[in-house]
């Protein structure tokens, strides 16, 4: 009223109160607030990054349609401490997944009771192994990669897994974590900073991303280090890889060449600042959309990698979904692993709208490449 509308429209209002990652989204929606002053506790690196992301998302002026909403229901009450790495075998018509700290691998054919087996080492991921024998899998163990057979019909419980090869980064600071087989049949896996929250390597980027070929030779394919590998997955053409360092809450796409390192990094999705937790495991459907488990936020989202728009949300009654995959005879069901303390079960939802997944590739191992130690 004193200076007129033109002057008022040029005034920028900076909010100077307490700003947190949880409050920034609602704050920036206020019509008279243009920004916020950040300081104090908010300057912790991860919190500051979430606040900046919240401001960017609120001011980019992109508006997407309201996402479709689904609800997943528990189908196996397995009570995993940390369920992870679900993969569906078209060959076996069975689902495989792990409970990492419990050293267990689980399998379920959707008809009979689920079957589990103890392997005596902390596990990071499970992938399918090529061949004619049902139940052939490869495990990312804490100290080595293992080959095993998972069958509920087995009577041989004395023979352990076969060691394929040692893992890279032979240090207690890291271990294998997320992993999937690429469309060429090679095993791509990332490491995990065991002490990224507390300890000698807290906050340190010391983990690498690797690819294992059929001769079991391992090459590093990412030109920088990170803390927690997740979201490793591939679309149908196999020319792109998705990857996330979970503490950053950002998912990236890279060009994925036949050989050599990843190139052309671009941002695909940033987790909203108002949601707790971070991106965990992910998978790509037949339409090229990315499904991401948001651990801590109690949901899985379907993301258009071209725009970052979320068009479908799958809600869970527990806080921490950990990974996803497609399965069932028609690959039209979404299976979701979870972790405690409130979760730990396997969840499932039948997908509408004609959405289907892609067949999971198998890791091809050349004959004679296997270490015979058990």
């Amino acid at each position: 009223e004193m200076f007129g509308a033109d002057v008022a429209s040029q005034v920028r209002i900076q909010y100077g109160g307490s700003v947190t990652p949880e409050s920034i989204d609602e704050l920036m929606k206020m019509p008279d607030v243009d920004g916020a002053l950040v300081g104090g506790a908010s300057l912790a690196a991860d919190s500051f990054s979430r606040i900046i992301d919240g401001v960017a998302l609120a001011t980019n002026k992109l508006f997407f349609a309201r996402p479709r909403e689904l609800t997943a229901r528990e189908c196996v009450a397995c009570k995993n401490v940390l369920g992870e790495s679900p993969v569906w075998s078209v060959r076996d018509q069975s689902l495989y997944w792990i409970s990492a700290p419990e050293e267990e691998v689980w399998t379920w054919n959707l008809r009979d009771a689920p079957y589990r087996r103890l392997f005596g080492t902390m596990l990071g991921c499970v992938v399918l192994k090529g061949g004619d024998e049902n139940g052939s899998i490869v495990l990312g163990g804490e100290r080595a990669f293992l080959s095993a057979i998972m069958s509920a019909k087995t009577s041989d419980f004395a023979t352990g897994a076969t060691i394929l090869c040692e893992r890279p980064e032979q240090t207690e600071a890291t271990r294998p974590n997320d992993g999937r087989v690429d469309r060429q049949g090679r095993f791509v896996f990332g490491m995990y900073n065991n002490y990224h929250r507390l300890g000698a390597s807290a906050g340190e980027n010391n983990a690498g991303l690797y690819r294992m070929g059929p001769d079991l030779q391992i090459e590093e394919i990412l030109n920088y280090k990170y803390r927690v590998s997740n979201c490793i997955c591939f679309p149908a053409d196999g020319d792109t890889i998705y990857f996330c360092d979970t503490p950053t809450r950002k998912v990236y796409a890279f060009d994925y060449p036949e050989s050599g390192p990843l190139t052309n990094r671009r941002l695909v999705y940033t987790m909203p600042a108002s949601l707790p937790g971070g991106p965990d495991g992910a998978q790509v459907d037949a339409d090229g959309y990315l499904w991401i488990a948001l651990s801590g936020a109690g949901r899985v989202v379907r993301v258009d990698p071209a725009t970052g728009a979320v068009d479908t949300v799958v809600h869970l009654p527990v806080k921490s979904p950990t990974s996803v995959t497609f399965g069932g005879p028609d690959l039209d069901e979404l299976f979701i692993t979870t972790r405690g303390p409130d979760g730990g079960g396997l969840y499932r939802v039948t997908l509408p709208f004609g959405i289907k997944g892609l067949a999971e590739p198998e890791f091809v191992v050349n004959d004679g490449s296997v270490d015979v130690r058990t």
Side-chain angles (χ1 to χ4, degrees):
E1 293 179 359
M2 182 178 298
F3 299 103
D6 289 342
V7 173
S9 67
Q10 297 177 38
V11 173
R12 295 292 177 260
I13 300 175
Q14 303 291 321
Y15 180 79
S18 178
V19 180
T20 67
E22 292 73 25
S23 66
I24 190 65
D25 279 356
E26 291 302 318
L27 176 64
M28 293 305 299
K29 290 177 183 177
M30 295 180 181
D32 295 327
V33 174
D34 300 298
L37 302 177
V38 180
S42 300
L43 289 178
D46 290 336
S47 294
F48 182 73
S49 177
R50 286 179 62 183
I51 291 171
I52 297 303
D53 290 339
V55 173
L57 290 172
T59 58
N60 67 6
K61 306 303 182 184
L62 293 177
F63 298 95
F64 302 118
R66 181 181 177 88
R68 301 169 293 197
E69 298 186 76
L70 308 172
T71 301
R73 304 296 183 191
E74 190 175 44
C75 56
V76 178
C78 42
K79 298 187 183 301
N80 299 148
V81 171
L82 176 55
E84 271 285 8
S85 190
V87 288
W88 175 264
S89 170
V90 172
R91 174 195 62 202
D92 303 343
Q93 287 294 291
S94 295
L95 185 75
Y96 299 91
W97 73 98
I98 65 170
S99 183
E102 295 174 290
E103 306 175 346
E104 294 174 341
V105 178
W106 289 69
T107 184
W108 184 39
N109 62 11
L110 311 188
R111 300 184 310 274
D112 303 317
Y115 166 74
R116 63 178 175 174
R117 186 170 181 182
L118 183 68
F119 281 88
T121 182
M122 187 168 183
L123 302 171
C125 58
V126 55
V127 299
L128 307 176
K129 183 183 178 187
D132 298 328
E133 189 168 7
N134 284 5
S136 296
I137 57 173
V138 171
L139 303 170
E142 187 173 19
R143 290 298 174 195
F145 289 94
L146 310 174
S147 176
I149 301 295
M150 277 289 294
S151 173
K153 299 179 180 179
T154 186
S155 58
D156 179 10
F157 294 98
T159 302
T162 300
I163 297 175
L164 287 178
C165 63
E166 293 186 338
R167 52 93 159 182
E169 301 179 12
Q170 287 290 331
T171 168
E172 292 185 358
T174 63
R175 62 173 174 81
N177 193 46
D178 195 37
R180 284 199 186 276
V181 177
D182 68 16
R183 299 297 168 190
Q184 293 77 38
R186 298 167 299 181
F187 185 7
V188 177
F189 62 93
M191 305 296 282
Y192 175 96
N193 179 347
N194 288 320
Y195 311 105
H196 73 95
R197 292 189 181 94
L198 294 171
S201 57
E204 182 179 332
N205 295 318
N206 62 352
L209 183 66
Y210 300 90
R211 177 169 55 209
M212 185 190 303
D215 57 358
L216 305 183
Q217 295 298 307
I218 297 174
E219 61 173 326
E220 190 166 6
I221 58 174
L222 190 61
N223 63 1
Y224 64 87
K225 300 291 188 179
Y226 55 85
R227 285 173 282 177
V228 179
S229 63
N230 270 310
C231 290
I232 298 172
C233 55
F234 304 86
D237 60 17
D239 293 336
T240 300
I241 182 174
Y242 296 102
F243 176 76
C244 173
D245 179 12
T246 292
T248 69
R249 297 162 54 91
K250 299 176 187 294
V251 181
Y252 291 95
F254 296 81
D255 289 348
Y256 186 73
E258 184 72 22
S259 61
L262 310 184
T263 59
N264 189 25
R265 187 179 84 159
R266 58 269 188 199
L267 181 64
V268 170
Y269 174 75
T270 298
M271 191 168 167
S274 58
L275 293 178
D280 206 325
Q283 186 59 289
V284 182
D285 65 25
D287 296 320
Y289 282 71
L290 185 63
W291 295 74
I292 308 170
L294 300 184
S295 186
R299 66 190 65 187
V300 173
V301 295
R302 184 187 193 229
V303 176
D304 181 349
T307 65
V310 173
D311 78 347
T312 306
V313 177
V314 180
H315 296 279
L316 290 92
V318 297
K319 293 180 180 178
S320 296
T322 55
S323 192
V324 300
T325 202
F326 303 97
D330 298 319
L331 298 177
D332 62 351
E333 296 182 81
L334 188 70
F335 292 92
I336 307 167
T337 51
T338 65
R339 63 175 173 86
D342 65 330
L346 178 72
Y347 286 76
R348 175 187 194 180
V349 60
T350 299
L351 298 171
F353 320 120
I355 297 173
K356 293 188 176 184
L358 298 164
E360 188 80 20
E362 298 175 345
F363 178 38
V364 179
V365 179
N366 289 340
D367 293 339
S369 297
V370 179
D371 191 320
V372 298
R373 292 174 296 170
T374 57

PDB file of all heavy atoms in Angstrom, residues 341-370:
ATOM      1  N   PRO A 341      12.647 -52.583  11.783  1.00  0.00           N
ATOM      2  CA  PRO A 341      11.972 -53.409  12.795  1.00  0.00           C
ATOM      3  C   PRO A 341      10.481 -53.638  12.546  1.00  0.00           C
ATOM      4  O   PRO A 341       9.910 -54.599  13.054  1.00  0.00           O
ATOM      5  CB  PRO A 341      12.175 -52.605  14.080  1.00  0.00           C
ATOM      6  CG  PRO A 341      12.244 -51.187  13.602  1.00  0.00           C
ATOM      7  CD  PRO A 341      12.960 -51.227  12.292  1.00  0.00           C
ATOM      8  N   ASP A 342       9.817 -52.772  11.781  1.00  0.00           N
ATOM      9  CA  ASP A 342       8.381 -52.969  11.595  1.00  0.00           C
ATOM     10  C   ASP A 342       8.068 -53.845  10.397  1.00  0.00           C
ATOM     11  O   ASP A 342       6.954 -54.343  10.259  1.00  0.00           O
ATOM     12  CB  ASP A 342       7.660 -51.621  11.453  1.00  0.00           C
ATOM     13  CG  ASP A 342       8.074 -50.875  10.202  1.00  0.00           C
ATOM     14  OD1 ASP A 342       9.240 -51.045   9.769  1.00  0.00           O
ATOM     15  OD2 ASP A 342       7.253 -50.115   9.656  1.00  0.00           O
ATOM     16  N   GLY A 343       9.038 -54.042   9.491  1.00  0.00           N
ATOM     17  CA  GLY A 343       8.813 -54.844   8.299  1.00  0.00           C
ATOM     18  C   GLY A 343       9.547 -56.167   8.363  1.00  0.00           C
ATOM     19  O   GLY A 343       9.668 -56.779   9.413  1.00  0.00           O
ATOM     20  N   GLY A 344      10.054 -56.596   7.208  1.00  0.00           N
ATOM     21  CA  GLY A 344      10.767 -57.860   7.119  1.00  0.00           C
ATOM     22  C   GLY A 344      10.055 -58.892   6.279  1.00  0.00           C
ATOM     23  O   GLY A 344      10.641 -59.908   5.913  1.00  0.00           O
ATOM     24  N   GLY A 345       8.790 -58.657   5.938  1.00  0.00           N
ATOM     25  CA  GLY A 345       8.046 -59.580   5.103  1.00  0.00           C
ATOM     26  C   GLY A 345       8.265 -59.310   3.625  1.00  0.00           C
ATOM     27  O   GLY A 345       8.833 -58.295   3.225  1.00  0.00           O
ATOM     28  N   LEU A 346       7.797 -60.245   2.795  1.00  0.00           N
ATOM     29  CA  LEU A 346       7.780 -60.076   1.347  1.00  0.00           C
ATOM     30  C   LEU A 346       6.394 -59.586   0.953  1.00  0.00           C
ATOM     31  O   LEU A 346       5.383 -60.163   1.361  1.00  0.00           O
ATOM     32  CB  LEU A 346       8.099 -61.395   0.646  1.00  0.00           C
ATOM     33  CG  LEU A 346       8.073 -61.364  -0.881  1.00  0.00           C
ATOM     34  CD1 LEU A 346       9.276 -60.599  -1.423  1.00  0.00           C
ATOM     35  CD2 LEU A 346       8.048 -62.792  -1.453  1.00  0.00           C
ATOM     36  N   TYR A 347       6.345 -58.532   0.132  1.00  0.00           N
ATOM     37  CA  TYR A 347       5.080 -57.926  -0.275  1.00  0.00           C
ATOM     38  C   TYR A 347       4.872 -58.101  -1.778  1.00  0.00           C
ATOM     39  O   TYR A 347       5.829 -58.272  -2.541  1.00  0.00           O
ATOM     40  CB  TYR A 347       5.035 -56.448   0.119  1.00  0.00           C
ATOM     41  CG  TYR A 347       4.822 -56.263   1.603  1.00  0.00           C
ATOM     42  CD1 TYR A 347       5.865 -56.484   2.498  1.00  0.00           C
ATOM     43  CD2 TYR A 347       3.576 -55.914   2.114  1.00  0.00           C
ATOM     44  CE1 TYR A 347       5.666 -56.346   3.870  1.00  0.00           C
ATOM     45  CE2 TYR A 347       3.373 -55.769   3.474  1.00  0.00           C
ATOM     46  CZ  TYR A 347       4.421 -55.986   4.351  1.00  0.00           C
ATOM     47  OH  TYR A 347       4.210 -55.860   5.693  1.00  0.00           O
ATOM     48  N   ARG A 348       3.612 -57.981  -2.174  1.00  0.00           N
ATOM     49  CA  ARG A 348       3.245 -58.318  -3.550  1.00  0.00           C
ATOM     50  C   ARG A 348       2.042 -57.483  -3.988  1.00  0.00           C
ATOM     51  O   ARG A 348       1.141 -57.228  -3.213  1.00  0.00           O
ATOM     52  CB  ARG A 348       2.902 -59.802  -3.576  1.00  0.00           C
ATOM     53  CG  ARG A 348       2.370 -60.405  -4.863  1.00  0.00           C
ATOM     54  CD  ARG A 348       1.947 -61.834  -4.542  1.00  0.00           C
ATOM     55  NE  ARG A 348       1.723 -62.670  -5.690  1.00  0.00           N
ATOM     56  CZ  ARG A 348       1.335 -63.957  -5.614  1.00  0.00           C
ATOM     57  NH1 ARG A 348       1.140 -64.511  -4.422  1.00  0.00           N
ATOM     58  NH2 ARG A 348       1.145 -64.659  -6.709  1.00  0.00           N
ATOM     59  N   VAL A 349       2.049 -57.053  -5.245  1.00  0.00           N
ATOM     60  CA  VAL A 349       0.890 -56.376  -5.816  1.00  0.00           C
ATOM     61  C   VAL A 349       0.816 -56.743  -7.293  1.00  0.00           C
ATOM     62  O   VAL A 349       1.831 -56.776  -7.992  1.00  0.00           O
ATOM     63  CB  VAL A 349       0.975 -54.840  -5.629  1.00  0.00           C
ATOM     64  CG1 VAL A 349       2.197 -54.249  -6.288  1.00  0.00           C
ATOM     65  CG2 VAL A 349      -0.294 -54.164  -6.140  1.00  0.00           C
ATOM     66  N   THR A 350      -0.399 -57.077  -7.767  1.00  0.00           N
ATOM     67  CA  THR A 350      -0.618 -57.322  -9.191  1.00  0.00           C
ATOM     68  C   THR A 350      -0.759 -55.979  -9.888  1.00  0.00           C
ATOM     69  O   THR A 350      -1.522 -55.115  -9.450  1.00  0.00           O
ATOM     70  CB  THR A 350      -1.870 -58.179  -9.407  1.00  0.00           C
ATOM     71  OG1 THR A 350      -1.690 -59.442  -8.749  1.00  0.00           O
ATOM     72  CG2 THR A 350      -2.107 -58.429 -10.894  1.00  0.00           C
ATOM     73  N   LEU A 351      -0.038 -55.802 -10.977  1.00  0.00           N
ATOM     74  CA  LEU A 351       0.033 -54.505 -11.634  1.00  0.00           C
ATOM     75  C   LEU A 351      -1.095 -54.339 -12.652  1.00  0.00           C
ATOM     76  O   LEU A 351      -1.308 -55.216 -13.500  1.00  0.00           O
ATOM     77  CB  LEU A 351       1.386 -54.345 -12.329  1.00  0.00           C
ATOM     78  CG  LEU A 351       2.581 -54.376 -11.381  1.00  0.00           C
ATOM     79  CD1 LEU A 351       3.883 -54.437 -12.165  1.00  0.00           C
ATOM     80  CD2 LEU A 351       2.571 -53.159 -10.468  1.00  0.00           C
ATOM     81  N   PRO A 352      -1.809 -53.226 -12.593  1.00  0.00           N
ATOM     82  CA  PRO A 352      -2.851 -52.937 -13.577  1.00  0.00           C
ATOM     83  C   PRO A 352      -2.266 -52.214 -14.794  1.00  0.00           C
ATOM     84  O   PRO A 352      -1.042 -52.094 -14.942  1.00  0.00           O
ATOM     85  CB  PRO A 352      -3.793 -52.014 -12.792  1.00  0.00           C
ATOM     86  CG  PRO A 352      -2.871 -51.271 -11.869  1.00  0.00           C
ATOM     87  CD  PRO A 352      -1.736 -52.217 -11.543  1.00  0.00           C
ATOM     88  N   PHE A 353      -3.137 -51.736 -15.660  1.00  0.00           N
ATOM     89  CA  PHE A 353      -2.778 -50.864 -16.786  1.00  0.00           C
ATOM     90  C   PHE A 353      -1.854 -51.537 -17.795  1.00  0.00           C
ATOM     91  O   PHE A 353      -1.183 -50.871 -18.580  1.00  0.00           O
ATOM     92  CB  PHE A 353      -2.111 -49.563 -16.288  1.00  0.00           C
ATOM     93  CG  PHE A 353      -2.737 -48.983 -15.061  1.00  0.00           C
ATOM     94  CD1 PHE A 353      -2.001 -48.819 -13.892  1.00  0.00           C
ATOM     95  CD2 PHE A 353      -4.077 -48.603 -15.052  1.00  0.00           C
ATOM     96  CE1 PHE A 353      -2.581 -48.280 -12.752  1.00  0.00           C
ATOM     97  CE2 PHE A 353      -4.661 -48.068 -13.915  1.00  0.00           C
ATOM     98  CZ  PHE A 353      -3.915 -47.905 -12.768  1.00  0.00           C
ATOM     99  N   GLY A 354      -1.784 -52.872 -17.786  1.00  0.00           N
ATOM    100  CA  GLY A 354      -0.937 -53.580 -18.745  1.00  0.00           C
ATOM    101  C   GLY A 354       0.546 -53.499 -18.458  1.00  0.00           C
ATOM    102  O   GLY A 354       1.370 -53.857 -19.314  1.00  0.00           O
ATOM    103  N   ILE A 355       0.933 -53.063 -17.254  1.00  0.00           N
ATOM    104  CA  ILE A 355       2.353 -52.946 -16.898  1.00  0.00           C
ATOM    105  C   ILE A 355       2.948 -54.336 -16.674  1.00  0.00           C
ATOM    106  O   ILE A 355       2.372 -55.166 -15.961  1.00  0.00           O
ATOM    107  CB  ILE A 355       2.528 -52.089 -15.637  1.00  0.00           C
ATOM    108  CG1 ILE A 355       2.045 -50.656 -15.890  1.00  0.00           C
ATOM    109  CG2 ILE A 355       3.990 -52.086 -15.189  1.00  0.00           C
ATOM    110  CD1 ILE A 355       2.022 -49.794 -14.644  1.00  0.00           C
ATOM    111  N   LYS A 356       4.091 -54.580 -17.269  1.00  0.00           N
ATOM    112  CA  LYS A 356       4.799 -55.849 -17.089  1.00  0.00           C
ATOM    113  C   LYS A 356       6.300 -55.581 -16.953  1.00  0.00           C
ATOM    114  O   LYS A 356       6.799 -54.526 -17.340  1.00  0.00           O
ATOM    115  CB  LYS A 356       4.560 -56.790 -18.269  1.00  0.00           C
ATOM    116  CG  LYS A 356       3.130 -57.290 -18.384  1.00  0.00           C
ATOM    117  CD  LYS A 356       3.013 -58.354 -19.447  1.00  0.00           C
ATOM    118  CE  LYS A 356       1.593 -58.919 -19.501  1.00  0.00           C
ATOM    119  NZ  LYS A 356       1.463 -60.030 -20.476  1.00  0.00           N
ATOM    120  N   GLY A 357       6.974 -56.573 -16.400  1.00  0.00           N
ATOM    121  CA  GLY A 357       8.413 -56.468 -16.247  1.00  0.00           C
ATOM    122  C   GLY A 357       9.163 -57.125 -17.380  1.00  0.00           C
ATOM    123  O   GLY A 357       8.580 -57.584 -18.373  1.00  0.00           O
ATOM    124  N   LEU A 358      10.474 -57.166 -17.235  1.00  0.00           N
ATOM    125  CA  LEU A 358      11.365 -57.821 -18.180  1.00  0.00           C
ATOM    126  C   LEU A 358      11.942 -59.076 -17.537  1.00  0.00           C
ATOM    127  O   LEU A 358      12.144 -59.129 -16.320  1.00  0.00           O
ATOM    128  CB  LEU A 358      12.519 -56.882 -18.557  1.00  0.00           C
ATOM    129  CG  LEU A 358      12.135 -55.584 -19.259  1.00  0.00           C
ATOM    130  CD1 LEU A 358      13.307 -54.599 -19.212  1.00  0.00           C
ATOM    131  CD2 LEU A 358      11.722 -55.851 -20.692  1.00  0.00           C
ATOM    132  N   ALA A 359      12.216 -60.079 -18.349  1.00  0.00           N
ATOM    133  CA  ALA A 359      12.843 -61.296 -17.826  1.00  0.00           C
ATOM    134  C   ALA A 359      14.222 -60.954 -17.262  1.00  0.00           C
ATOM    135  O   ALA A 359      14.996 -60.219 -17.877  1.00  0.00           O
ATOM    136  CB  ALA A 359      12.956 -62.339 -18.920  1.00  0.00           C
ATOM    137  N   GLU A 360      14.531 -61.487 -16.086  1.00  0.00           N
ATOM    138  CA  GLU A 360      15.819 -61.227 -15.437  1.00  0.00           C
ATOM    139  C   GLU A 360      16.921 -62.003 -16.158  1.00  0.00           C
ATOM    140  O   GLU A 360      16.826 -63.225 -16.338  1.00  0.00           O
ATOM    141  CB  GLU A 360      15.763 -61.656 -13.973  1.00  0.00           C
ATOM    142  CG  GLU A 360      16.959 -61.254 -13.160  1.00  0.00           C
ATOM    143  CD  GLU A 360      16.904 -59.790 -12.716  1.00  0.00           C
ATOM    144  OE1 GLU A 360      15.813 -59.205 -12.706  1.00  0.00           O
ATOM    145  OE2 GLU A 360      17.968 -59.254 -12.377  1.00  0.00           O
ATOM    146  N   PRO A 361      17.997 -61.333 -16.582  1.00  0.00           N
ATOM    147  CA  PRO A 361      19.107 -62.051 -17.234  1.00  0.00           C
ATOM    148  C   PRO A 361      19.837 -62.964 -16.250  1.00  0.00           C
ATOM    149  O   PRO A 361      19.772 -62.776 -15.038  1.00  0.00           O
ATOM    150  CB  PRO A 361      20.032 -60.919 -17.717  1.00  0.00           C
ATOM    151  CG  PRO A 361      19.220 -59.670 -17.640  1.00  0.00           C
ATOM    152  CD  PRO A 361      18.236 -59.884 -16.536  1.00  0.00           C
ATOM    153  N   GLU A 362      20.556 -63.926 -16.805  1.00  0.00           N
ATOM    154  CA  GLU A 362      21.360 -64.847 -16.010  1.00  0.00           C
ATOM    155  C   GLU A 362      22.839 -64.551 -16.212  1.00  0.00           C
ATOM    156  O   GLU A 362      23.269 -64.190 -17.313  1.00  0.00           O
ATOM    157  CB  GLU A 362      21.052 -66.292 -16.402  1.00  0.00           C
ATOM    158  CG  GLU A 362      19.607 -66.692 -16.148  1.00  0.00           C
ATOM    159  CD  GLU A 362      19.303 -68.092 -16.648  1.00  0.00           C
ATOM    160  OE1 GLU A 362      20.104 -68.649 -17.430  1.00  0.00           O
ATOM    161  OE2 GLU A 362      18.253 -68.647 -16.254  1.00  0.00           O
ATOM    162  N   PHE A 363      23.606 -64.694 -15.142  1.00  0.00           N
ATOM    163  CA  PHE A 363      25.053 -64.489 -15.185  1.00  0.00           C
ATOM    164  C   PHE A 363      25.701 -65.689 -15.854  1.00  0.00           C
ATOM    165  O   PHE A 363      25.577 -66.823 -15.387  1.00  0.00           O
ATOM    166  CB  PHE A 363      25.579 -64.293 -13.772  1.00  0.00           C
ATOM    167  CG  PHE A 363      27.073 -64.113 -13.676  1.00  0.00           C
ATOM    168  CD1 PHE A 363      27.781 -63.387 -14.625  1.00  0.00           C
ATOM    169  CD2 PHE A 363      27.775 -64.670 -12.617  1.00  0.00           C
ATOM    170  CE1 PHE A 363      29.150 -63.217 -14.536  1.00  0.00           C
ATOM    171  CE2 PHE A 363      29.139 -64.499 -12.504  1.00  0.00           C
ATOM    172  CZ  PHE A 363      29.837 -63.770 -13.462  1.00  0.00           C
ATOM    173  N   VAL A 364      26.387 -65.431 -16.943  1.00  0.00           N
ATOM    174  CA  VAL A 364      27.039 -66.485 -17.716  1.00  0.00           C
ATOM    175  C   VAL A 364      28.474 -66.658 -17.226  1.00  0.00           C
ATOM    176  O   VAL A 364      29.257 -65.700 -17.238  1.00  0.00           O
ATOM    177  CB  VAL A 364      27.034 -66.146 -19.219  1.00  0.00           C
ATOM    178  CG1 VAL A 364      27.749 -67.246 -20.012  1.00  0.00           C
ATOM    179  CG2 VAL A 364      25.605 -65.959 -19.716  1.00  0.00           C
ATOM    180  N   VAL A 365      28.820 -67.872 -16.790  1.00  0.00           N
ATOM    181  CA  VAL A 365      30.167 -68.183 -16.309  1.00  0.00           C
ATOM    182  C   VAL A 365      30.792 -69.210 -17.240  1.00  0.00           C
ATOM    183  O   VAL A 365      30.208 -70.271 -17.490  1.00  0.00           O
ATOM    184  CB  VAL A 365      30.140 -68.722 -14.869  1.00  0.00           C
ATOM    185  CG1 VAL A 365      31.551 -69.058 -14.398  1.00  0.00           C
ATOM    186  CG2 VAL A 365      29.483 -67.720 -13.927  1.00  0.00           C
ATOM    187  N   ASN A 366      31.960 -68.899 -17.772  1.00  0.00           N
ATOM    188  CA  ASN A 366      32.644 -69.842 -18.647  1.00  0.00           C
ATOM    189  C   ASN A 366      33.049 -71.093 -17.885  1.00  0.00           C
ATOM    190  O   ASN A 366      33.433 -71.041 -16.715  1.00  0.00           O
ATOM    191  CB  ASN A 366      33.900 -69.199 -19.250  1.00  0.00           C
ATOM    192  CG  ASN A 366      33.557 -68.136 -20.277  1.00  0.00           C
ATOM    193  OD1 ASN A 366      32.445 -68.112 -20.817  1.00  0.00           O
ATOM    194  ND2 ASN A 366      34.510 -67.258 -20.539  1.00  0.00           N
ATOM    195  N   ASP A 367      32.992 -72.233 -18.556  1.00  0.00           N
ATOM    196  CA  ASP A 367      33.456 -73.485 -17.972  1.00  0.00           C
ATOM    197  C   ASP A 367      34.931 -73.361 -17.616  1.00  0.00           C
ATOM    198  O   ASP A 367      35.735 -72.813 -18.367  1.00  0.00           O
ATOM    199  CB  ASP A 367      33.270 -74.637 -18.945  1.00  0.00           C
ATOM    200  CG  ASP A 367      31.808 -74.951 -19.212  1.00  0.00           C
ATOM    201  OD1 ASP A 367      30.968 -74.562 -18.369  1.00  0.00           O
ATOM    202  OD2 ASP A 367      31.509 -75.557 -20.258  1.00  0.00           O
ATOM    203  N   GLY A 368      35.286 -73.874 -16.444  1.00  0.00           N
ATOM    204  CA  GLY A 368      36.674 -73.840 -16.015  1.00  0.00           C
ATOM    205  C   GLY A 368      37.057 -72.597 -15.255  1.00  0.00           C
ATOM    206  O   GLY A 368      38.192 -72.486 -14.796  1.00  0.00           O
ATOM    207  N   SER A 369      36.113 -71.651 -15.113  1.00  0.00           N
ATOM    208  CA  SER A 369      36.437 -70.412 -14.398  1.00  0.00           C
ATOM    209  C   SER A 369      36.189 -70.505 -12.906  1.00  0.00           C
ATOM    210  O   SER A 369      36.552 -69.598 -12.165  1.00  0.00           O
ATOM    211  CB  SER A 369      35.598 -69.255 -14.966  1.00  0.00           C
ATOM    212  OG  SER A 369      35.909 -69.025 -16.316  1.00  0.00           O
ATOM    213  N   VAL A 370      35.576 -71.582 -12.449  1.00  0.00           N
ATOM    214  CA  VAL A 370      35.130 -71.662 -11.067  1.00  0.00           C
ATOM    215  C   VAL A 370      36.227 -72.197 -10.156  1.00  0.00           C
ATOM    216  O   VAL A 370      36.869 -73.206 -10.462  1.00  0.00           O
ATOM    217  CB  VAL A 370      33.875 -72.555 -10.959  1.00  0.00           C
ATOM    218  CG1 VAL A 370      33.417 -72.656  -9.515  1.00  0.00           C
ATOM    219  CG2 VAL A 370      32.762 -71.995 -11.830  1.00  0.00           C
TER     220      VAL A 370
END
